[in-house]
């Protein structure tokens, strides 16, 4: 294989790489599990205040043509400040900016206590 062939092969591979890499990423506009994962790993409140969540639900809609979401769950507070108040009822709403980017625009935390 000549030098010209190797250079051409590398150029073609390099041009195709972004398409290959992007096709492996989940589409936040259609994949509910990926959107929930994205919210939990990129939102500061989730990362710093909330632990494991259960009874999760995600509702999608469009507001003025922009893909939007409302996420609801019951999440453990971290660190646990009280014995009788260990969970928040979480309601997040936000937008899905692109297939790989979404942002929480509003978060509501309702303290749930057993007493």
């Amino acid at each position: 294989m000549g030098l010209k062939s190797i250079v051409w092969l590398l150029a073609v591979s390099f041009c195709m790489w972004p398409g290959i890499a992007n096709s492996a990423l989940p589409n936040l506009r259609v994949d509910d599990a990926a959107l929930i994962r994205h919210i939990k790993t990129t939102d500061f409140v989730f990362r710093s205040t909330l632990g494991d969540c259960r009874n999760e639900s995600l509702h999608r809609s469009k507001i003025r043509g922009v893909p939007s979401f409302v996420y609801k769950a019951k999440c453990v507070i971290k660190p646990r400040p009280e014995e009788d108040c260990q969970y928040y009822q979480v309601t997040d709403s936000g937008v899905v900016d692109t297939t790989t980017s979404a942002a929480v625009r509003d978060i509501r935390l309702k303290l749930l206590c057993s007493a």
Side-chain angles (χ1 to χ4, degrees):
M1 185 181 277
L3 181 60
K4 196 174 194 180
S5 298
I6 293 172
V7 171
W8 183 82
L9 183 61
L10 288 173
V12 170
S13 298
F14 182 76
C15 291
M16 291 181 66
W17 175 253
I20 293 168
N22 286 338
S23 67
L25 295 175
N27 184 342
L28 300 181
R29 290 195 170 154
V30 297
D31 187 336
D32 290 351
L35 178 56
I36 291 171
R37 236 181 355 264
H38 181 80
I39 293 166
K40 288 179 174 182
T41 57
T42 61
D43 184 74
F44 177 77
V45 173
F46 260 102
R47 288 191 334 259
S48 62
T49 309
L50 304 173
D52 292 335
C53 298
R54 57 182 166 190
N55 302 331
E56 295 177 304
S57 68
L58 185 72
H59 174 75
R60 294 174 179 269
S61 63
K62 285 196 175 193
I63 299 175
R64 292 184 298 275
V66 177
S68 305
F69 65 87
V70 175
Y71 166 84
K72 293 183 179 186
K74 180 180 177 181
C75 301
V76 172
I77 299 170
K78 72 176 191 188
R80 293 185 181 178
E82 306 281 339
E83 285 299 315
D84 64 334
C85 302
Q86 298 185 5
Y87 296 94
Y88 279 124
Q89 179 63 48
V90 178
T91 305
D92 280 351
S93 59
V95 295
V96 181
D97 301 310
T98 67
T99 58
T100 59
S101 175
V104 172
R105 298 289 186 229
D106 182 65
I107 186 166
R108 311 277 169 142
L109 304 175
K110 180 181 177 186
L111 187 60
L112 301 176
C113 300
S114 60

